[in-house]
Amino acid sequence: MSEELLEKDVSEISEVTEEVTADTVDDMSEEKKRRSLWVIVPIIVALVVGIGTLAVMGLRALGIINPYERDYIDVTGRTAAQIAKDKNYKYEKFLKEYGLPDDMPKNTSERAVFYNIPVKKYVEKTPGIESFEQLKESMGWDDSITEDTTMGDALDATKLSFYVGDEQLERFKALYELSDEVTGDTLYGDVRNIVDAKEKEFHDAQAAQTAVPTEEVTEQ
């Protein structure tokens, strides 16, 4: 083999080698990028979730997000702070007196306050109810409902046949404009927000009727 041919072969091999090396480097670079993404993405997700959790905790601490409101409807507009004031309680004592959470915000709605009262406190504060067992039997509760269950959770698990009575069911349905699909076996929790929304309408209408217009006061 002549020196010229040898140089030519060596040159071609070098070019091929360079191309293969370049392709290999590119492939390795892409693989490295993918592996980097596999590591980075979970870290980003974890950071986002962590920041989101901290944000929710911060909003709760500021009272912007109130975990005790859940999906409850504010019927009357009264707050926990107003109720405590009307009962001549300091706010902290009011919460303790009714077994409410220590961190319940003062702007919690009246209906949410009621739904967060433990059953045992409801029994204690309600005239005519002698014991938890009496209330449990009259409401048809099973053993999943205890004295420490909140009234909201207990009522949500109560059948309408026990909550309003079979004889009053049709009247109850008509009053709150419930569908024909609602029966005595329907749980109160399934219609709670419909009932509370209608209660809000009743409350607002009554408030409007009892309010004295400014013009009438001026004329008098």
Side-chain angles (χ1 to χ4, degrees):
M1 183 179 291
S2 66
E3 293 181 1
E4 292 180 359
L5 289 175
L6 180 60
E7 289 176 0
K8 184 178 179 181
D9 289 341
V10 171
S11 176
E12 290 177 352
I13 292 172
S14 297
E15 290 177 2
V16 172
T17 303
E18 289 175 0
E19 291 177 3
V20 172
T21 303
D23 290 341
T24 303
V25 170
D26 288 341
D27 291 342
M28 290 177 65
S29 179
E30 288 299 321
E31 180 66 20
K32 189 174 182 180
K33 288 178 182 178
R34 285 195 293 271
R35 288 181 179 176
S36 297
L37 285 174
W38 295 339
V39 174
I40 293 172
V41 170
I43 292 175
I44 293 174
V45 171
L47 284 173
V48 170
V49 172
I51 292 171
T53 302
L54 289 174
V56 169
M57 291 173 63
L59 292 173
R60 284 186 177 182
L62 293 172
I64 297 174
I65 292 180
N66 188 340
Y68 303 112
E69 290 284 356
R70 291 169 55 173
D71 65 334
Y72 300 142
I73 292 174
D74 183 1
V75 174
T76 66
R78 293 180 73 207
T79 65
Q82 290 173 314
I83 299 170
K85 183 178 180 181
D86 291 344
K87 292 182 176 296
N88 294 318
Y89 282 127
K90 288 186 177 181
Y91 191 67
E92 292 73 17
K93 184 177 180 180
F94 166 70
L95 296 179
K96 185 176 181 179
E97 186 72 17
Y98 285 86
L100 295 166
D102 293 339
D103 60 347
M104 175 174 278
K106 292 183 177 182
N107 63 352
T108 303
S109 68
E110 182 176 28
R111 191 53 57 100
V113 169
F114 170 72
Y115 284 141
N116 279 280
I117 293 175
V119 173
K120 61 184 174 185
K121 280 294 180 180
Y122 178 77
V123 171
E124 177 185 317
K125 298 291 183 180
T126 306
I129 300 178
E130 298 179 1
S131 67
F132 167 71
E133 291 301 326
Q134 178 195 12
L135 181 62
K136 179 181 177 182
E137 182 179 356
S138 67
M139 298 298 276
W141 292 336
D142 60 26
D143 291 338
S144 66
I145 306 299
T146 70
E147 291 184 293
D148 293 322
T149 303
T150 63
M151 285 301 299
D153 288 340
L155 291 178
D156 279 355
T158 304
K159 291 182 179 181
L160 292 182
S161 58
F162 286 96
Y163 185 76
V164 299
D166 287 325
E167 67 283 355
Q168 295 294 328
L169 181 59
E170 291 305 316
R171 183 182 176 188
F172 178 81
K173 288 169 61 176
L175 179 64
Y176 294 104
E177 299 178 0
L178 301 175
S179 71
D180 292 336
E181 295 178 357
V182 174
T183 69
D185 289 329
T186 300
L187 298 180
Y188 180 72
D190 295 333
V191 299
R192 166 173 43 81
N193 281 355
I194 299 175
V195 171
D196 282 352
K198 185 60 67 173
E199 285 285 347
K200 179 174 172 55
E201 288 182 22
F202 296 154
H203 176 272
D204 292 347
Q206 185 177 14
Q209 288 179 356
T210 56
V212 180
T214 305
E215 292 80 6
E216 292 184 12
V217 174
T218 304
E219 291 176 1
Q220 293 176 358

